[in-house]
Amino acid sequence: MQANTSDWPVAALQVTAKARLKRGIKTAGLKFLSRSGLAGLVGRYYGGRGVILMFHEFTRAPEEKLGQGTRIEDFEAVLRRLKASGRDIVDLSEAVRRLSDPDARPFAVLTFDDGYRSNIDLALPVMEKYQAPATIYVPTQVITRSLNAWWLGLRELVLQSDGFEFAPLDTRFECADYTGKLATFQHLLSWVWDDFARAEQLEGVFRDNRIALHDLVERDFIDEEGMIEADGNPLIEIGAHTTTHRALRLLSDDEVRQDIGDNKHFLEERLGRKVPHFAFPYGRPSLTGRREADIVRDLGFRTAVTTDPGCLFSAHGDDLFLLPRQDAEYPDDGLSHAICGVNGFYRAMATRGGAPIANVALEQ
């Protein structure tokens, strides 16, 4: 029986003045830390031997993606600053080697999740300019065009409509202006992240609003030919990212092993080489603990990265399957955000006894 949507409450969300103030304070604080040298002081204790930076898609206009992705100018600024600071930008295999070499130079690793076309169209020319390698983690269903890219679906839904019914919450959302769209999108993203099983409830929403995930995947992600060509570039290495990009905590042991193992086999068959590096979809929130890391190790991978903030220390060489990885995406000031991460600032804030800077003002 069809729901009577006329009885549903209407939500017209907006980014509040408090949220805008908090965001402004964070941005100003990051800029001060990165430009004053204080981030470097934090880095003496929390910067470690190196850092793995995480990106997804790249853009020239973040507002067109409701604040997602990395402004390509910021990406270039990060690479320029890393080079100027004396850090080498290396691939994951070299990073592992340096963890066991006390005389190795400090380093940074670039990683891109999911296989967006913008990794090639926008980021690769910048990488070539600075001779900076990167690993692109690709799920099988990106290549087969069957991925439940629910985050793209939600973004498209909000962008294309000034109002829509959202059956999983029995609510109609009104979002006629940009700030309303931004607040609505963030609200729905958070709703899924609170329980990843909710991603499976969105099929009807997309169907009712004529959102074709297949078309969005085709538009935004590399295809098989593009993946193989990218892997042939000396600056790019394709890594594994599961078959379905589901949150692994939702799956049984056998399902986790199959979802990861089938992806490894799929990529190796098409690339004609071993695939030693893996990234957990959604990072730590999608894991049960060590179960997934142990399965990745048993499947023959050499490394696996999370989304835990922080840098790499020598001790990480003893357990390469839950490596920390610093989120480097922040459209307001991507350079300052990344430099603070490179120096371990976010790890310091998460550690008891860390840097005495107001948590509430600078939290992500």
Side-chain angles (χ1 to χ4, degrees):
M1 190 167 112
Q2 189 171 3
N4 183 6
T5 60
S6 63
D7 296 334
W8 288 0
V10 175
L13 304 179
Q14 287 288 322
V15 179
T16 65
K18 181 179 178 181
R20 290 196 298 270
L21 176 62
K22 185 176 178 180
R23 184 88 167 186
I25 292 173
K26 172 185 174 178
T27 302
L30 294 177
K31 187 174 295 186
F32 172 74
L33 285 165
S34 66
R35 296 184 181 182
S36 67
L38 287 178
L41 293 177
V42 174
R44 294 182 183 180
Y45 299 97
Y46 292 95
R49 308 291 304 281
V51 65
I52 303 173
L53 297 178
M54 177 181 66
F55 300 89
H56 288 78
E57 57 187 325
F58 296 88
T59 180
R60 298 193 186 281
E63 62 276 6
E64 295 179 358
K65 298 181 180 295
L66 293 178
Q68 291 194 311
T70 299
R71 196 186 306 271
I72 194 62
E73 294 84 359
D74 288 346
F75 180 63
E76 179 165 5
V78 170
L79 299 195
R80 186 166 56 244
R81 179 73 73 87
L82 289 172
K83 291 283 190 176
S85 71
R87 282 183 183 260
D88 297 331
I89 303 176
V90 303
D91 61 24
L92 280 163
S93 295
E94 174 62 13
V96 170
R97 187 197 70 77
R98 291 193 183 200
L99 286 177
S100 61
D101 181 358
D103 298 322
R105 287 165 52 88
F107 62 87
V109 177
L110 306 178
T111 62
F112 308 155
D113 283 13
D114 302 336
Y116 288 91
R117 290 186 185 273
S118 60
N119 296 172
I120 307 303
D121 297 340
L122 295 181
L124 181 56
V126 178
M127 292 161 53
E128 290 174 334
K129 179 178 179 179
Y130 292 90
Q131 284 300 288
T135 297
I136 303 177
Y137 297 108
V138 180
T140 299
Q141 288 187 351
V142 156
I143 302 303
T144 61
R145 298 316 202 220
S146 55
L147 182 72
N148 178 17
W150 57 267
W151 59 95
L152 291 186
L154 287 178
R155 187 170 73 189
E156 190 71 12
L157 173 62
V158 174
L159 281 172
Q160 76 169 19
S161 176
D162 290 343
F164 56 90
E165 282 84 27
F166 194 79
L169 290 175
D170 291 344
T171 299
R172 175 175 175 80
F173 289 94
E174 299 286 354
C175 49
D177 58 19
Y178 179 77
T179 58
K181 291 181 183 296
L182 184 61
T184 301
F185 181 50
Q186 291 173 346
H187 176 77
L188 295 177
L189 280 180
S190 296
W191 178 75
V192 177
W193 273 77
D194 286 342
D195 181 356
F196 285 111
R198 292 169 175 168
E200 304 303 321
Q201 301 179 33
L202 297 173
E203 180 180 356
V205 175
F206 297 146
R207 182 181 60 250
D208 293 345
N209 289 277
R210 299 181 180 179
I211 302 294
L213 292 186
H214 176 277
D215 292 346
L216 299 181
V217 171
E218 180 68 34
R219 181 192 71 188
D220 288 355
F221 291 113
I222 59 176
D223 57 17
E224 183 170 330
E225 181 181 358
M227 178 184 72
I228 294 171
E229 182 179 353
D231 192 65
N233 189 297
L235 292 177
I236 294 178
E237 180 177 14
I238 300 298
H241 202 35
T242 74
T243 298
T244 63
H245 202 280
R246 287 179 291 175
L248 296 176
R249 66 164 52 245
L250 301 177
L251 308 182
S252 69
D253 292 1
D254 288 343
E255 288 171 329
V256 171
R257 188 176 300 276
Q258 181 175 359
D259 208 38
I260 298 173
D262 285 357
N263 178 229
K264 190 175 195 293
H265 177 73
F266 176 90
L267 294 175
E268 290 178 345
E269 184 179 67
R270 281 150 182 81
L271 299 175
R273 63 167 179 82
K274 294 294 185 182
V275 174
H277 303 299
F278 177 80
F280 296 106
Y282 313 115
R284 182 73 68 172
S286 78
L287 307 183
T288 61
R290 279 216 60 91
R291 178 189 71 159
E292 293 80 11
D294 292 341
I295 288 173
V296 169
R297 179 200 61 207
D298 294 344
L299 286 170
F301 287 96
R302 191 180 183 197
T303 70
V305 295
T306 67
T307 56
D308 296 346
C311 300
L312 297 175
F313 293 81
S314 297
H316 285 110
D318 298 328
D319 186 358
L320 297 172
F321 300 101
L322 286 172
L323 292 174
R325 187 166 54 140
Q326 180 59 53
D327 173 22
E329 298 174 316
Y330 184 62
D332 291 7
D333 189 340
L335 174 61
S336 296
H337 173 65
I339 294 307
C340 286
V342 165
N343 284 285
F345 172 76
Y346 296 107
R347 187 61 181 171
M349 295 300 294
T351 302
R352 184 173 298 178
I357 301 172
N359 240 340
V360 68
L362 293 172
E363 67 178 352
Q364 294 193 73

